[in-house]
Amino acid sequence: MSRRAHGRPEVPGRADALALAAVLLAYPDDGFYADAERIGTALAALPDSAAAEHLRRFWRAFGAWSPAEARAQYVETFDLRRTSSLHLSYYLHGDTRRRGMALLALKQRYRAHGYVPPEDELPDYLPLALEFAALRGAGPGEAPLRVHRAGLELIRTTLVERRSPYVEVLDAICAVLGPASDRHAAQAALIAAQGPAQEEVGLTPDFLDIESCPPSGVRGTIRKGS
C-alpha cells in the first residue's frame, strides 16, 4: 500500500469503503435487509484493497446469520458492552461534562461542513462519523475518526478478543486511516485498564441530554442510501 506525503495510506475507493463500513455497522433491521442485494453489489465493486477485503470477509460471515441471529449478535456486541460501544466520545470522556461539550463541538463541526446528522442519534455514533468522513474526505472528514483513534483501537481489540466477525469492519476502517500511533495504542490500553474519565455529579450539560437517545441497536438510524 503506497503512502501520500502526509502519511495517510493511499486506499483506492477510500470514501466508498468508509461509507460501506458505516452501513455495515448499522443495526440490521428490516430496512438493512431490504438493501442487502445493493450492499453486496457495492462491496463487490470496491477497488481491491486491504479495506475492501476486510469488508467482504465480514459480509460473507454476516450472510451465514439469520436476521434474528444478526440482530442478537449486534446487540450483544455493541449495545451491551461498554468496551465495544459505537459512541466514540465515551472512551475519551466517559459520562462527564467534557463529553457533553465534545458532542456539541462534533455536531457543530458536522454542520459547518454541510452535514446534518439525524436528531435521534448522538453525533459520536461511529456510523455517522464514517458517513461524514466518506462525504467530506480525508482531511476534515476523517479528522473526527483520528481524534477518536484510541477508541477505535479499543473497540477493535475487544472484537478480536471476542472473535466477532465485526472486527473485519474495524480492520477496514483502520486500514483506511493507517496504523495507530504509539500514543493512541497506549491511550487505548490505559482506557481498557482504567476505564474512561468519571464524574460524580453533573454528568450532562442541560443543553445536551445524552440519556434522551435510546441505544443504537434499538434503531439503526444510519442512512443506507449514502
Side-chain angles (χ1 to χ4, degrees):
M1 181 182 295
S2 62
R3 289 185 176 275
R4 297 175 181 170
H6 47 53
R8 294 184 186 132
E10 280 282 10
V11 179
R14 71 187 298 130
D16 290 337
L18 292 175
L20 282 164
V23 170
L24 296 178
L25 287 177
Y27 180 69
D29 58 12
D30 290 343
F32 184 100
Y33 277 98
D35 280 346
E37 183 175 353
R38 189 160 60 92
I39 294 169
T41 299
L43 287 167
L46 277 177
D48 288 338
S49 68
E53 182 55 30
H54 284 303
L55 294 176
R56 290 171 187 144
R57 285 179 192 163
F58 169 76
W59 192 240
R60 289 193 291 269
F62 182 88
W65 293 334
S66 69
E69 289 170 334
R71 289 161 185 159
Q73 286 279 352
Y74 188 95
V75 171
E76 171 68 19
T77 301
F78 297 122
D79 290 348
L80 301 182
R81 298 182 181 277
R82 285 181 176 264
T83 55
S84 54
S85 167
L86 294 180
H87 289 95
L88 296 176
S89 68
Y90 171 74
Y91 299 106
L92 286 183
H93 305 298
D95 290 324
T96 67
R97 291 182 180 90
R98 289 191 303 277
R99 185 182 181 202
M101 295 302 294
L103 289 168
L104 180 60
L106 183 56
K107 181 178 285 190
Q108 291 172 338
R109 181 184 185 89
Y110 287 163
R111 292 182 180 276
H113 289 277
Y115 174 71
V116 181
E119 290 297 327
D120 60 350
E121 184 57 82
L122 295 176
D124 66 341
Y125 180 46
L126 178 53
L128 294 185
L130 290 167
E131 187 177 85
F132 176 69
L135 290 171
R136 295 296 172 256
E142 292 179 15
L145 295 174
R146 298 181 187 282
V147 167
H148 293 287
R149 186 59 190 269
L152 291 173
E153 290 299 315
L154 182 55
I155 298 169
R156 182 172 170 273
T157 298
T158 299
L159 298 181
V160 168
E161 292 172 351
R162 292 188 55 77
R163 300 182 180 180
S164 170
Y166 275 103
V167 74
E168 298 286 359
V169 185
L170 270 293
D171 283 344
I173 297 165
C174 293
V176 171
L177 298 177
S181 67
D182 291 342
R183 178 174 66 86
H184 285 136
Q187 189 177 26
L190 184 64
I191 297 170
Q194 299 182 0
Q198 296 183 2
E199 188 170 69
E200 292 184 0
V201 296
L203 298 183
T204 309
D206 292 340
F207 57 75
L208 184 61
D209 181 7
I210 292 174
E211 297 302 324
S212 67
C213 292
S216 56
V218 175
R219 295 180 310 280
T221 57
I222 192 73
R223 295 182 296 283
K224 292 181 265 297
S226 61

